[in-house]
Amino acid sequence: MVRAGLTADRLAQAGAELADEVGFDQVTVSALARRFDVKVASLYSHLKNSHDLKTRIALLALEEMADRGAAALAGRAGKDALKAFADVYRDYAREHPGRYAAAQLRLDPEVVAASAARRHSQMTRAILRGYELTEPDQTHAVRLLGSVFHGYVSLEMQGGFSHSAPDSQESWSWSLDALDALLRNWTAH
C-alpha cells in the first residue's frame, strides 16, 4: 500500500532537507524512511534505490541553483554579472550545504543533458560572451570559473579561511576582481 502524500518529488525534497541537516553522504532511503516513519520497502514504489534518491536531490539542487542564477543575472553584464553569478553559488552553498554537495554528484550523461546543468553552462557562457572569448578559451574559462567558485566555497565551508585576516568576504571580492581582470585582458593574448 502506497502511503498517501508520498511522491518521488516529495521524497527528493525531504531528502534535500535531510542532506542539509546531516550531510549529503548520510542520505539513504533508510534514513528517509525513518523521517517519514514508514518501512523502507514502502519508499521503493517511488524510488529505485539510494542512488536514485541522491540523483533526484542533485537534480533538485541544480534546478534551484539555476533558477537563482537566472534571477541574479537578469539585466546584468560583465563584472556585475560575474559577481552576481558567483554569489549565487556561494550563497546557495552556505544556505544549503547538503544540496550544494548533491549538485556535485557525477550524473550519467543522459541525465545531465536533460537537467538544469545545461542552464548553468549556458549562463556561464552568456557571462563570458561579454568578455569576447572564443573557443577554446571560452571552455577553459568555464572550467576556471567553476573551479574557482567551487574551490573557494569548499575551502570556506570547511573553515579554511576563518583563522586569519582579512575576512573571507574581502578575499572573495578580491578573487572575483582578479577573475574579471584576467578575463578582460585575455583577448589581448
Side-chain angles (χ1 to χ4, degrees):
M1 178 164 136
V2 176
R3 177 113 178 190
L6 290 184
T7 64
D9 288 344
R10 183 162 180 228
L11 293 172
Q13 182 66 44
E17 292 165 7
L18 183 61
D20 287 339
E21 293 167 18
V22 301
F24 183 61
D25 290 341
Q26 303 303 311
V27 175
T28 63
V29 175
S30 296
L32 201 54
R34 284 191 297 277
R35 174 163 266 201
F36 283 101
D37 195 27
V38 298
K39 294 193 183 310
V40 173
S42 68
L43 298 187
Y44 287 117
S45 61
H46 304 288
L47 303 167
K48 295 175 191 169
N49 51 38
S50 284
H51 181 72
D52 180 37
L53 172 61
K54 287 187 172 197
T55 297
R56 290 173 184 275
I57 296 167
L59 294 172
L60 171 74
L62 288 168
E63 189 72 34
E64 289 176 344
M65 289 171 59
D67 290 346
R68 286 184 180 197
L73 288 176
R76 296 182 181 191
K79 184 178 180 179
D80 190 34
L82 175 67
K83 286 187 167 198
F85 195 61
D87 285 343
V88 164
Y89 279 83
R90 185 174 181 225
D91 293 346
Y92 189 83
R94 290 167 146 185
E95 293 168 28
H96 301 291
R99 293 177 210 210
Y100 181 78
Q104 311 312 311
L105 182 69
R106 184 181 189 137
L107 301 170
D108 294 330
E110 62 274 2
V111 174
V112 170
S115 76
R118 295 187 73 220
R119 289 176 57 206
H120 291 265
S121 177
Q122 291 166 343
M123 286 184 281
T124 304
R125 288 183 182 277
I127 292 166
L128 292 172
R129 276 195 295 277
Y131 292 99
E132 300 178 10
L133 297 176
T134 58
E135 287 299 342
D137 292 338
Q138 191 178 92
T139 296
H140 296 317
V142 168
R143 292 173 180 166
L144 173 66
L145 294 180
S147 298
V148 170
F149 299 167
H150 178 67
Y152 194 98
V153 165
S154 296
L155 289 168
E156 183 179 44
M157 289 176 58
Q158 293 171 4
F161 305 137
S162 61
H163 304 295
S164 62
D167 74 359
S168 96
Q169 177 58 46
E170 188 175 336
S171 294
W172 176 250
S173 295
W174 185 92
S175 298
L176 297 179
D177 288 342
L179 282 173
D180 173 66
L182 172 71
L183 294 170
R184 273 188 289 107
N185 293 314
W186 190 255
T187 55
H189 289 93

